[in-house]
Amino acid sequence: MKKILLILLLIIFFSTLLRVVFLDNLPKGFFRDEAALGYNAYSLLKTGKDEYGVSNPLVFRSFEVFFLPAYVYLSVPIIAIFGLTEFSTRLLSAISGILIVAAAFFIAFELTKNKAASVFSALIVSIAPWGIFYSRGAFEGNLGLAFFSLGFLYWLKFLNRNKLTYVIFAIIFFVLSMYSYQAERFVVPLIGIIFFLLSFKQIIELRKNLIIIFLFILILIIPISMISFNAGGYHRAIGVSIFNSKQNPPGFNSKIDFIPNDLFLLRMRQIIALYASYFSPLNLFVKGDYDMQRSVEKFTVFYTWNFPFLSLGFLWLFKTFNLKNKLLLSWIIIAPVPAALTTDLFHTYRSLLLYLPLSILTGIGISNVFDNLSKFKLLFIFTILLISLSSVSFFLYSYNVYNTYTRSRYWEFGYKEIVSFTGTLPKGTRVVVDDYKKDPKFENYIYFLFHAKTDPAKYQYEVAKLGNPNIYYYSNPSLLRPNRIGNITFEQVDWPTRRGDTGSVFVMPASDLPESEFMTDPKVKLLKEIRYPSGEIAFRIIKIL
Amino acid sequence: MQDRYSILLVSIIAALIRFWQLGDIPQGLSLQEVKFALYLSNVFGEVVYNPFLLRLPFALLGTVSIVLWFVFLIKYNFSRQVTILATLLLIFTPWHIHQSRVLSIGMVIMVLSLILLLILRKLILRYYKKIYFVLSCMFILVSLYSIILQNPINVKHEVGELRGYASRLNINSFSYLFSNKYLESLRLWESLTFEYLDLGNYFFSGYPRERWGVEEIQKFYLVLLPFIFISFIKRSSVNVSTVILSLFMISLLVLFKIRDSDVSIVLLLPLLLIIVKGLMVMAQKIQVLVMVLMFIEFSLFSFNYYTGLTEGLFSPRRPLYEKIAKEIYSLNKNIIVADRLQNARYYFQYYLKNDLEKLKFREVKLEMENDKERYFLDVLSNGLSLERVEIIKEYDDSQNRKQIVLYRIR
């Protein structure tokens, strides 16, 4: 066993390298959700309140996203140590990713009592594209997955050893996952019911302690249940729900009024199609997430060579269909449901819960081949290691080179440079930052808070001018925040009418301010051009003389 | 004797579904059908100008393929239950129904394959394990050839683009290792191969991963989806051999980059076997329930199919050209048809039974046209000045998201 734990340590060390090295700079860019998580943790650290000035919130409103609290609160000590930086903001997700690798090892061992299966499972998770990608950004879902996997591990331990302590730990971790990410709020109660029903015999043996357990669960979930009845608790879910979608389901014809064309039936069919797509080999092994920000060029969640081993893992699952495997299967079946109920196609972040059990099954599939080999075991291990290293090398190259070139804009690259430059302007300069979206959301302010490390107390003072945040914080999902931070204003700029604003400095995307708009105008001075890594101009900063 | 009655019943049911409104559904003919008809008109005369008669051979092939499938299952010692289930599935499968009602090379291949399997039955039953080993090797060889030796042209463009990214970021080390034609060929092979493993491709008309330029049709009924997975719960030699056969077929389809539902229909038979194997795991009551649900889905599908609602974005059929051809012919005017109407010549030649005396097909540049006696048939574009022309009729080509106009110069 010591040998195996040493191998695990090596894998964890390797995973750490993959997840932590250059964490601040890869991926290039820093998404606004990350900035919001980091800044709110910073605000809590400095003032005990979030950016709105609310003490110890149950959700973090930010720009009407209503982040669940776990990531923010757990980031506070990290930011206290490392300061407010991209690195410290992302570090919790990286740590979660490393924990997930360890969890995979122990879960596989609890399921199979097979050391090879444990090692291969940990290896698969450590190098998996989904594992690396979601550990290198501030993703609350990754933290949620870490907690969920620990909850599952302790539940398996309970089944194997029948100790009350394990039940308590399992409940704690499952509930913590509910405080981490939206998908878990849906999945955990369902999984909890299924686990309870499947493990009924073992649970009944706890007898006297059952009431304590139920009370314990109730106390833990009261806060999250309370906010579920406020807009702050359901706003996000309703916003992305497929039932609220304005787009008709495929096959719907508004001119036909007959059963085959029934909107509800077709919507149900659409949901089934979306659900099935999360198990489609094409999506799992070849084509990635549709969203440019959530994918790596040429890669998806798994490597193609994982496919046959995953198939073998599923065969093993059904061949040894004991209680623990039923629990694992329940996890696999329920995991993509939240994602399937939203309008986005093959959303890998919302279905993140799915990929850990599939990785474990892949590891088990590899171990099945390994165990059945009478000769050439060493050669097999060497081959797997070689393929793994090659795969991760190609993945990292794609991630570092192709993604930097093609997807930096989707990671909102450029704002750090903008904030850095506007910080050098003379004090009192009026700066106008263009919110260039057709449906303006004025979310860019968070970059100025984050990168400038704006004093949270000062910003909270600005927010307080809008009214008492405790009144609207959870209940009103409308856009409610100041449109200025000091001398910086956030607006939707109408350039033709604003080009006469003498003395103002404008920050605009290059697409909204082409050269022809100002090059020949002597009253407009180009101060700086911010370029994407590809060389294309992202933003222009100009001054009206 | 019982088998003969069964074959007769099977033929009648299959024929009814395939022959009914054959000339009208699917609506319009494809370019392939039209060209085929024009070629045949040299041999068979005007009879091919009837869409029903044009499609008749393929409907017959479709019906015959079902009979051959039934016979195949009996001769290859499948159980009575499997034979009945598999035959019923084939009769009512949307994929087979559709391909029986259009010009389908795949249907020809399917019939020939079934005949060959019946002729070589004894040989196959005797040596099937060796045959599947050979097929496995051929699958690997064909796949390797696809990846290493074929090297399609579009891969070169992709490689160039990727190396360009690295070059512009000044990261030139190892770019030849990480972007090269073999790697991109492998990725292309993976992409094409896994398209054949995509559930959306078979059960949801491609949704949500619809393929650009490929006509997506519903191939199987949704109620059968779980049985693809259930089939593998209980291992069987039939499953293993069927999977090997499927993989070999997929490797051939990938080698020739066939993505549409026509030739790939050869996959239908092994997939049906896998689904039936899954059904056989279930209790008889469940099987009956599934068949009932399948018939309900068939009814819903039939409504959509026979009213033309299943025509997708990349349908190759052009029903609008039939309407246009007949209307402009009735005007009895000299008309110039612009070449922006793609392949219109073939369609009008077919629908007007080669009577193109009053039609001319050429490039039209409005600014250089002065003939006020002729009419013009063209795609509506920004260059069409309404001051210069008088629009006689407009046609909404929603399939191509265009407007076609018949006009004359003022």
PDB file of all heavy atoms in Angstrom, chain B residues 329-341:
ATOM      1  N   TYR B 329     -43.722  28.359 -67.864  1.00  0.00           N
ATOM      2  CA  TYR B 329     -44.071  27.706 -69.138  1.00  0.00           C
ATOM      3  C   TYR B 329     -45.442  28.158 -69.611  1.00  0.00           C
ATOM      4  O   TYR B 329     -45.666  28.391 -70.807  1.00  0.00           O
ATOM      5  CB  TYR B 329     -44.029  26.183 -68.944  1.00  0.00           C
ATOM      6  CG  TYR B 329     -44.231  25.407 -70.218  1.00  0.00           C
ATOM      7  CD1 TYR B 329     -43.188  25.267 -71.141  1.00  0.00           C
ATOM      8  CD2 TYR B 329     -45.474  24.816 -70.520  1.00  0.00           C
ATOM      9  CE1 TYR B 329     -43.368  24.559 -72.316  1.00  0.00           C
ATOM     10  CE2 TYR B 329     -45.646  24.118 -71.703  1.00  0.00           C
ATOM     11  CZ  TYR B 329     -44.595  23.983 -72.597  1.00  0.00           C
ATOM     12  OH  TYR B 329     -44.767  23.277 -73.765  1.00  0.00           O
ATOM     13  N   SER B 330     -46.335  28.299 -68.649  1.00  0.00           N
ATOM     14  CA  SER B 330     -47.710  28.681 -69.019  1.00  0.00           C
ATOM     15  C   SER B 330     -47.782  30.117 -69.537  1.00  0.00           C
ATOM     16  O   SER B 330     -48.728  30.505 -70.204  1.00  0.00           O
ATOM     17  CB  SER B 330     -48.640  28.511 -67.813  1.00  0.00           C
ATOM     18  OG  SER B 330     -48.274  29.440 -66.817  1.00  0.00           O
ATOM     19  N   LEU B 331     -46.766  30.945 -69.254  1.00  0.00           N
ATOM     20  CA  LEU B 331     -46.761  32.326 -69.732  1.00  0.00           C
ATOM     21  C   LEU B 331     -46.499  32.390 -71.238  1.00  0.00           C
ATOM     22  O   LEU B 331     -46.814  33.394 -71.890  1.00  0.00           O
ATOM     23  CB  LEU B 331     -45.675  33.137 -69.001  1.00  0.00           C
ATOM     24  CG  LEU B 331     -45.897  33.401 -67.506  1.00  0.00           C
ATOM     25  CD1 LEU B 331     -44.672  34.062 -66.904  1.00  0.00           C
ATOM     26  CD2 LEU B 331     -47.123  34.282 -67.290  1.00  0.00           C
ATOM     27  N   ASN B 332     -45.849  31.339 -71.729  1.00  0.00           N
ATOM     28  CA  ASN B 332     -45.533  31.254 -73.159  1.00  0.00           C
ATOM     29  C   ASN B 332     -44.687  32.448 -73.637  1.00  0.00           C
ATOM     30  O   ASN B 332     -44.934  33.018 -74.696  1.00  0.00           O
ATOM     31  CB  ASN B 332     -46.834  31.160 -73.971  1.00  0.00           C
ATOM     32  CG  ASN B 332     -46.570  30.571 -75.345  1.00  0.00           C
ATOM     33  OD1 ASN B 332     -45.621  29.822 -75.561  1.00  0.00           O
ATOM     34  ND2 ASN B 332     -47.401  30.933 -76.317  1.00  0.00           N
ATOM     35  N   LYS B 333     -43.724  32.819 -72.819  1.00  0.00           N
ATOM     36  CA  LYS B 333     -42.847  33.943 -73.170  1.00  0.00           C
ATOM     37  C   LYS B 333     -41.411  33.443 -73.304  1.00  0.00           C
ATOM     38  O   LYS B 333     -41.055  32.403 -72.753  1.00  0.00           O
ATOM     39  CB  LYS B 333     -42.884  34.991 -72.046  1.00  0.00           C
ATOM     40  CG  LYS B 333     -44.180  35.732 -71.926  1.00  0.00           C
ATOM     41  CD  LYS B 333     -44.175  36.912 -72.872  1.00  0.00           C
ATOM     42  CE  LYS B 333     -45.433  37.739 -72.671  1.00  0.00           C
ATOM     43  NZ  LYS B 333     -45.546  38.773 -73.694  1.00  0.00           N
ATOM     44  N   ASN B 334     -40.611  34.215 -73.985  1.00  0.00           N
ATOM     45  CA  ASN B 334     -39.172  33.911 -74.015  1.00  0.00           C
ATOM     46  C   ASN B 334     -38.553  34.398 -72.718  1.00  0.00           C
ATOM     47  O   ASN B 334     -38.686  35.562 -72.350  1.00  0.00           O
ATOM     48  CB  ASN B 334     -38.491  34.621 -75.201  1.00  0.00           C
ATOM     49  CG  ASN B 334     -38.905  34.011 -76.508  1.00  0.00           C
ATOM     50  OD1 ASN B 334     -38.986  32.792 -76.639  1.00  0.00           O
ATOM     51  ND2 ASN B 334     -39.193  34.856 -77.495  1.00  0.00           N
ATOM     52  N   ILE B 335     -37.872  33.496 -72.042  1.00  0.00           N
ATOM     53  CA  ILE B 335     -37.360  33.806 -70.697  1.00  0.00           C
ATOM     54  C   ILE B 335     -35.889  33.453 -70.610  1.00  0.00           C
ATOM     55  O   ILE B 335     -35.456  32.399 -71.098  1.00  0.00           O
ATOM     56  CB  ILE B 335     -38.149  33.026 -69.627  1.00  0.00           C
ATOM     57  CG1 ILE B 335     -39.621  33.448 -69.666  1.00  0.00           C
ATOM     58  CG2 ILE B 335     -37.554  33.253 -68.235  1.00  0.00           C
ATOM     59  CD1 ILE B 335     -40.532  32.628 -68.795  1.00  0.00           C
ATOM     60  N   ILE B 336     -35.146  34.369 -70.008  1.00  0.00           N
ATOM     61  CA  ILE B 336     -33.730  34.093 -69.736  1.00  0.00           C
ATOM     62  C   ILE B 336     -33.598  33.726 -68.251  1.00  0.00           C
ATOM     63  O   ILE B 336     -34.011  34.498 -67.382  1.00  0.00           O
ATOM     64  CB  ILE B 336     -32.852  35.319 -70.070  1.00  0.00           C
ATOM     65  CG1 ILE B 336     -32.885  35.530 -71.586  1.00  0.00           C
ATOM     66  CG2 ILE B 336     -31.418  35.112 -69.585  1.00  0.00           C
ATOM     67  CD1 ILE B 336     -32.214  36.789 -72.056  1.00  0.00           C
ATOM     68  N   VAL B 337     -33.036  32.570 -68.012  1.00  0.00           N
ATOM     69  CA  VAL B 337     -32.860  32.096 -66.632  1.00  0.00           C
ATOM     70  C   VAL B 337     -31.412  32.346 -66.228  1.00  0.00           C
ATOM     71  O   VAL B 337     -30.483  31.822 -66.852  1.00  0.00           O
ATOM     72  CB  VAL B 337     -33.191  30.596 -66.519  1.00  0.00           C
ATOM     73  CG1 VAL B 337     -33.023  30.127 -65.082  1.00  0.00           C
ATOM     74  CG2 VAL B 337     -34.603  30.319 -67.015  1.00  0.00           C
ATOM     75  N   ALA B 338     -31.224  33.133 -65.184  1.00  0.00           N
ATOM     76  CA  ALA B 338     -29.878  33.483 -64.731  1.00  0.00           C
ATOM     77  C   ALA B 338     -29.193  32.278 -64.105  1.00  0.00           C
ATOM     78  O   ALA B 338     -29.855  31.436 -63.468  1.00  0.00           O
ATOM     79  CB  ALA B 338     -29.947  34.619 -63.723  1.00  0.00           C
ATOM     80  N   ASP B 339     -27.873  32.231 -64.266  1.00  0.00           N
ATOM     81  CA  ASP B 339     -27.151  31.081 -63.696  1.00  0.00           C
ATOM     82  C   ASP B 339     -27.031  31.152 -62.174  1.00  0.00           C
ATOM     83  O   ASP B 339     -26.519  30.237 -61.539  1.00  0.00           O
ATOM     84  CB  ASP B 339     -25.766  30.943 -64.343  1.00  0.00           C
ATOM     85  CG  ASP B 339     -24.931  32.194 -64.172  1.00  0.00           C
ATOM     86  OD1 ASP B 339     -25.414  33.150 -63.540  1.00  0.00           O
ATOM     87  OD2 ASP B 339     -23.803  32.231 -64.693  1.00  0.00           O
ATOM     88  N   ARG B 340     -27.528  32.279 -61.589  1.00  0.00           N
ATOM     89  CA  ARG B 340     -27.564  32.342 -60.127  1.00  0.00           C
ATOM     90  C   ARG B 340     -28.567  31.336 -59.553  1.00  0.00           C
ATOM     91  O   ARG B 340     -28.470  30.959 -58.397  1.00  0.00           O
ATOM     92  CB  ARG B 340     -27.914  33.763 -59.660  1.00  0.00           C
ATOM     93  CG  ARG B 340     -26.699  34.678 -59.515  1.00  0.00           C
ATOM     94  CD  ARG B 340     -27.094  36.042 -59.003  1.00  0.00           C
ATOM     95  NE  ARG B 340     -27.754  36.815 -60.056  1.00  0.00           N
ATOM     96  CZ  ARG B 340     -27.110  37.652 -60.886  1.00  0.00           C
ATOM     97  NH1 ARG B 340     -25.804  37.813 -60.792  1.00  0.00           N
ATOM     98  NH2 ARG B 340     -27.776  38.309 -61.816  1.00  0.00           N
ATOM     99  N   LEU B 341     -29.514  30.951 -60.364  1.00  0.00           N
ATOM    100  CA  LEU B 341     -30.415  29.860 -59.968  1.00  0.00           C
ATOM    101  C   LEU B 341     -29.660  28.565 -60.238  1.00  0.00           C
ATOM    102  O   LEU B 341     -29.617  28.066 -61.364  1.00  0.00           O
ATOM    103  CB  LEU B 341     -31.706  29.873 -60.807  1.00  0.00           C
ATOM    104  CG  LEU B 341     -32.872  30.633 -60.218  1.00  0.00           C
ATOM    105  CD1 LEU B 341     -32.633  32.122 -60.302  1.00  0.00           C
ATOM    106  CD2 LEU B 341     -34.147  30.293 -60.965  1.00  0.00           C
TER     107      LEU B 341
END
